[in-house]
């Protein structure tokens, strides 16, 4: 699919900043594509880019209305269809990363047809996948895993890929979620793949490569999350990572959208090692990425140092401090 930019990023009535993480990811990693944002009354998020109406965005050359929100179950609220139809009538395409297909709303499908515009359901793959076979393939792979969903797995993977490339290492970011796909331009939304084919889709996403090539694979969910553990496990088995990085948000008491307590970083390391050995007996933890956005600078640095000393692993906050120390160790160990 070829999604044209610039984008008008629609974040609707997102309840908080995390709910607008698709839009935030575009702004952080592809700011040149984000012309402005459109928010509804009661929106609890702000991407920090110009506020535009559909008409204003169209007048300034916006090509695509991008749904910049994630929601439990990937549901697209029916109340948003009026904005989507207006964008189609103003000459924009529409791209969504939600599970609900845009064309499932008759008024949206009709507006796209009448106005000759395209509907992009980024979360739905346009090809079939085989079941995974678990066969070892050449090349090196790193997977980001999490203590929870929405803890920074995508950002950690993007920072690691950028650090590797900056050192002249052949590396690719492999997107497994709707935001990553909009950033990278390609990928597979793993959580929309039929369960039997998740590991096969992960194998397809990170194919055989040169011995010194690194695929840096965006993780999804958490092995401990009651809602998403199945997706996480299939991705782990299919990606066959040589190395994994645990991503953790230290201020949370419970996991996102459920009452389950947050697991420890140590528990995630143990569980990932145990499950990952099914397809790569040599799997190892490469380090920890802490999301310290809710801590002050001093507290963040102290937590990084304490965690590194406790686990005897490289630890950093990818956004705040970069991942040079982790990549240093990665290139020495693998």
């Amino acid at each position: 699919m070829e999604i044209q930019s610039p984008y008008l990023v629609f974040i609707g009535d997102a309840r908080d900043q995390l709910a607008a993480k698709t839009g935030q990811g575009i702004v952080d990693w592809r700011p040149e594509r984000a012309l402005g944002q459109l928010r509804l009354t009661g929106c609890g998020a702000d991407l920090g880019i110009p506020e535009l109406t559909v008409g204003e965005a169209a007048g300034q050359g916006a090509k695509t209305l991008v749904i910049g929100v994630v929601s439990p179950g990937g549901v697209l609220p029916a109340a948003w269809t009026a904005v989507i139809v207006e964008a189609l009538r103003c000459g924009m395409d529409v791209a969504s990363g939600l599970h609900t297909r845009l064309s499932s709303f008759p008024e949206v499908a009709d507006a796209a047809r009448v106005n000759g515009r395209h509907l992009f359901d980024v979360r739905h793959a346009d090809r079939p996948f085989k079941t995974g076979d678990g066969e070892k393939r050449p090349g090196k792979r790193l997977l980001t895993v999490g203590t929870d969903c929405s803890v920074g797995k995508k950002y950690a993977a993007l920072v690691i890929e950028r650090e590797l490339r900056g050192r002249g290492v052949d590396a690719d970011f492999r997107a497994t979620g709707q935001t990553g796909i909009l950033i990278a331009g390609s990928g597979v939304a793993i959580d929309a793949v039929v369960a039997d084919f998740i590991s096969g889709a992960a194998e397809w996403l990170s194919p055989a490569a040169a011995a010194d090539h690194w695929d840096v694979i965006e993780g999804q969910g958490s092995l401990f999350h009651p809602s998403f553990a199945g997706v996480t496990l299939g991705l782990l088995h299919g990606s066959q990572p040589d190395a994994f990085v645990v991503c953790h948000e230290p201020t949370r008491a419970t996991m996102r959208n459920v009452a389950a307590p947050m697991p420890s970083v140590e528990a995630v390391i143990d569980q990932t090692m145990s499950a990952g050995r099914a397809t790569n007996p040599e799997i190892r933890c490469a380090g920890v990425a802490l999301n310290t956005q809710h801590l002050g600078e001093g507290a963040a640095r102290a937590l990084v140092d304490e965690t590194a000393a406790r686990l005897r692993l490289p630890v950093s906050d990818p956004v705040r401090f970069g991942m040079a120390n982790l990549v240093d160790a990665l290139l020495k160990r693998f």
Side-chain angles (χ1 to χ4, degrees), residues 289-307:
L290 295 177
N291 179 345
T292 66
Q293 63 177 319
H294 298 303
L295 300 177
E297 186 85 6
R301 176 57 71 186
L303 182 62
V304 165
D305 292 344
E306 182 276 323
T307 306

Side-chain angles (χ1 to χ4, degrees), residues 13-322:
D13 50 2
R15 67 186 179 91
D16 56 23
Q17 202 68 27
L18 263 181
K21 71 175 188 176
T22 294
Q24 192 65 63
I26 294 169
V27 170
D28 288 347
W29 291 94
R30 297 292 186 269
E32 71 282 0
R33 298 182 188 176
L35 185 67
Q37 67 180 356
L38 173 57
R39 301 188 292 168
L40 299 179
T41 301
C43 183
D46 185 350
L47 304 179
I49 56 177
E51 302 276 358
L52 297 174
T53 66
V54 170
E56 289 169 343
Q60 293 182 32
K63 301 296 185 183
T64 306
L65 177 78
V66 172
I67 309 298
V69 179
V70 297
S71 64
V75 176
L76 194 157
W80 293 359
T81 58
V83 172
I84 294 170
V85 168
E86 184 185 2
L88 292 165
R89 289 174 176 167
C90 285
M92 295 184 214
D93 296 331
V94 180
S96 169
L98 298 172
H99 282 298
T100 305
R101 290 183 183 271
L102 291 163
S103 59
S104 68
F105 296 94
E107 62 270 37
V108 171
D110 288 346
R113 177 181 52 79
V114 169
N115 293 281
R117 307 318 308 164
H118 296 97
L119 301 176
F120 296 104
D121 290 301
V122 176
R123 208 154 191 164
H124 297 276
D126 58 0
R127 54 157 295 132
F129 299 105
K130 298 178 179 179
T131 55
D133 57 28
E135 293 183 7
K136 183 65 176 173
R137 53 200 188 275
K140 300 176 181 178
R141 290 164 192 85
L142 181 147
L143 175 69
T144 54
V145 303
T147 53
D148 191 9
C149 56
S150 302
V151 290
K153 295 182 287 292
K154 173 176 63 270
Y155 277 51
L158 284 162
V159 172
I160 291 168
E161 182 222 27
R162 183 173 62 192
E163 183 70 26
L164 286 167
R165 285 184 171 231
R167 300 180 186 210
V169 177
D170 186 19
D172 286 306
F173 168 72
R174 301 297 187 181
T176 62
Q178 70 275 17
T179 308
I181 292 170
L182 286 165
I183 292 170
S186 63
V188 178
I190 289 292
D191 66 359
V193 175
V194 174
D196 275 359
F197 306 101
I198 290 174
S199 62
E203 291 177 358
W204 176 87
L205 182 67
S206 55
D212 59 351
H213 173 85
W214 278 97
D215 272 342
V216 184
I217 303 161
E218 174 193 9
Q220 293 295 325
S222 169
L223 287 173
F224 289 83
H225 200 291
S227 305
F228 311 119
V231 174
T232 308
L233 182 61
L235 179 57
L236 174 61
H237 284 164
S239 60
Q240 298 177 4
D242 301 285
F244 65 92
V245 172
V246 179
C247 303
H248 178 57
E249 208 281 48
T251 68
R252 292 187 197 173
T254 59
M255 287 191 268
R256 182 81 170 162
N257 295 321
V258 294
M262 287 282 285
S264 67
V265 171
E266 290 90 337
V268 172
I269 292 173
D270 291 344
Q271 192 85 330
T272 303
M273 294 280 287
S274 177
R277 289 191 184 105
T279 55
N280 187 348
E282 303 302 318
I283 186 173
R284 286 181 282 178
C285 183
V288 176
L290 295 177
N291 179 345
T292 66
Q293 63 177 319
H294 298 303
L295 300 177
E297 186 85 6
R301 176 57 71 186
L303 182 62
V304 165
D305 292 344
E306 182 276 323
T307 306
R310 187 179 80 247
L311 300 176
R312 297 183 180 180
L313 288 169
V315 178
S316 188
D317 180 321
V319 174
R320 210 168 206 165
F321 306 128

